[in-house]
Amino acid sequence: MINFNVPPFTGKEIEYIKQAVENQKICGDGPFTQKCSEWIEERTKTSKCLLTTSCTHATELAALLANIKEGDEVIMPSFTFVSTADAFVLRGAKAVFVDIRPDTMNIDEKKIEAAITPNTKAIAPVHYAGIACEMDTIMEIAQKHNLMVIEDAAQCILAEYKNKALGTIGDFGCYSFHETKNLSMGEGGAILIRDEKYIEEAEIIREKGTNRSKYYRGLVDKYRWMNYGSSYLPSDMNAAYLWAQLQLADEITKARLIRWEQYNTLLQPLKDRGILELPTIPEGCTHNGHMYYAKAKDVQERTELLNFLKANGVWSVFHYVPLHSAPAGMKFGVFHGEDVYTTKESERLFRLPMYYTLTESDVNYVVSKVKEFYHV
Ligand SMILES: *Cc1c(COP(=O)(O)O)cnc(C)c1O
């Protein structure tokens, strides 16, 4: 049985969690949280990184910082995880879905401008599979129309667009460290803040609306309720798990990229015969091996393939059900323009097993079963 995902584990996690417990500092913003945020700031070259309890919460925090309100509109793809929309809908905004590009499954930057109205406040691009959206164009549109850009970079740790870390290009970037992502802390995430002017407000909202972060740094003599807020900081025990992962981040990414390339090479003959479509990495994009996906002919063929793989001990999955076709999507969102690719491509896409400890022979086996299904 080859699982679809195995949570990343390096061996040091338990030692660090033990240290966190012995530090008697298991709440948020302890020594491990600090180490992790500094590491991310250094590697991504962003002004500020704050660890959060999830990417969903990082996006909620970004929506609060962007002052998203009732009646505002936020442009995003429909082919994404629910959190991209949830964070804005929770503030009373409408999700305006724009079609994707079939080559990357990312929002089609050429279709964004037509969806802008006087109510549009932000664009939320999602970098699917750690492969960047066309950010130069998106940032140009945002500047021209005075819109905020909140990157859903959940899948993007150590992925880049033109040598810039994903999540650092827009006003805010949101990472996930859920167990299904490249690096994990169980449940967790981070918000990346590009402009320093938002740091203080972000710290306050993240800490229940108080200036406790400033108080801990000795900058004020008491902490008080300063603004609305929530509790978005993770326990230092979770950060301890993440710290072990960050220390091996390059190795983990490299291992995934090797498996990714292996899939890509071995599946090439199926692409050449027009059986499968394989992912495209546009020029200037450096991905992180987050996901290996491919596309079958249609939904029926995909179902048969996934069943065949399952019967042969390979756990392959599909996603996402486009948000605009889901009950909440119909209630809180609207699709702008024609759905040329979102539904059609989402029904063909499937993901093959991908995780840090996946072996060369695992990938050989998976591909051999895909080939067997297609009689290649
Ligand atoms: C995983 C994921 C999220 C949610 O991350 P959590 O940390 O579980 O909240 C959001 N968006 C995308 C694109 C994701 O892949």
Side-chain angles (χ1 to χ4, degrees), residues 150-371:
I150 297 150
E151 297 176 67
D152 182 334
Q155 307 174 357
C156 298
I157 185 83
L158 296 185
E160 294 181 343
Y161 172 80
K162 301 188 178 170
N163 299 316
K164 286 184 211 147
L166 297 188
T168 66
I169 302 164
D171 297 86
F172 307 111
C174 306
Y175 282 171
S176 173
F177 300 117
H178 185 261
E179 71 162 41
T180 52
K181 302 305 199 274
N182 287 22
L183 307 179
S184 181
M185 54 196 284
E187 298 276 358
I191 182 169
L192 272 56
I193 299 170
R194 192 191 61 204
D195 297 331
E196 285 179 1
K197 65 175 183 194
Y198 289 108
I199 296 175
E200 187 171 340
E201 195 187 345
E203 286 180 338
I204 288 172
I205 294 174
R206 177 171 167 269
E207 260 283 21
K208 300 100 185 162
T210 74
N211 55 353
R212 184 147 74 178
S213 300
K214 238 179 163 174
Y215 172 71
Y216 278 152
R217 289 200 295 269
L219 298 174
V220 287
D221 62 359
K222 55 180 172 292
Y223 80 83
R224 297 186 297 168
W225 188 27
M226 305 298 288
N227 193 356
Y228 46 73
S230 190
S231 186
Y232 290 137
L233 64 174
S235 155
D236 217 45
M237 288 187 289
N238 292 57
Y241 191 102
L242 181 63
W243 180 237
Q245 309 253 309
L246 292 177
Q247 288 190 303
L248 278 190
D250 291 311
E251 201 174 310
I252 293 172
T253 308
K254 204 170 127 204
R256 298 183 75 112
L257 284 169
I258 289 170
R259 294 298 151 249
W260 194 100
E261 289 296 342
Q262 193 189 344
Y263 273 127
N264 209 44
T265 306
L266 294 176
L267 289 170
Q268 207 61 40
L270 284 93
K271 182 186 173 181
D272 295 342
R273 289 176 193 212
I275 296 171
L276 287 183
E277 264 178 53
L278 304 183
T280 308
I281 315 287
E283 218 184 296
C285 297
T286 310
H287 74 104
N288 59 0
H290 174 62
M291 183 192 307
Y292 198 87
Y293 75 85
K295 289 186 245 173
K297 188 172 78 202
D298 53 26
V299 65
Q300 190 192 336
E301 187 182 282
R302 177 182 75 179
T303 308
E304 287 166 12
L305 171 63
L306 296 194
N307 288 339
F308 179 81
L309 292 176
K310 201 188 280 180
N312 284 281
V314 175
W315 202 262
S316 168
V317 303
F318 67 84
H319 73 171
Y320 303 100
V321 176
L323 297 185
H324 74 282
S325 68
M330 289 188 239
K331 195 165 156 193
F332 301 121
V334 61
F335 198 98
H336 182 275
E338 197 188 338
D339 170 9
V340 182
Y341 294 112
T342 300
T343 300
K344 182 168 148 248
E345 300 298 298
S346 71
E347 287 181 342
R348 309 200 291 137
L349 181 142
F350 60 94
R351 304 170 61 185
L352 294 171
M354 176 57 86
Y355 47 89
Y356 173 41
T357 48
L358 187 72
T359 66
E360 183 177 0
S361 65
D362 289 338
V363 173
N364 284 336
Y365 179 77
V366 173
V367 173
S368 75
K369 289 298 153 188
V370 174
K371 287 183 170 167

Side-chain angles (χ1 to χ4, degrees), residues 137-155:
T137 309
I138 292 173
M139 294 309 292
E140 247 171 63
I141 295 170
Q143 257 149 30
K144 185 171 154 201
H145 297 271
N146 198 20
L147 306 175
M148 304 282 283
V149 174
I150 297 150
E151 297 176 67
D152 182 334
Q155 307 174 357

Side-chain angles (χ1 to χ4, degrees), residues 54-56 80-81 83-84 126 152 154-155 176 178 181 188 320:
S54 65
C55 177
T56 307
T80 182
F81 189 59
S83 304
T84 321
V126 180
D152 182 334
Q155 307 174 357
S176 173
H178 185 261
K181 302 305 199 274
Y320 303 100

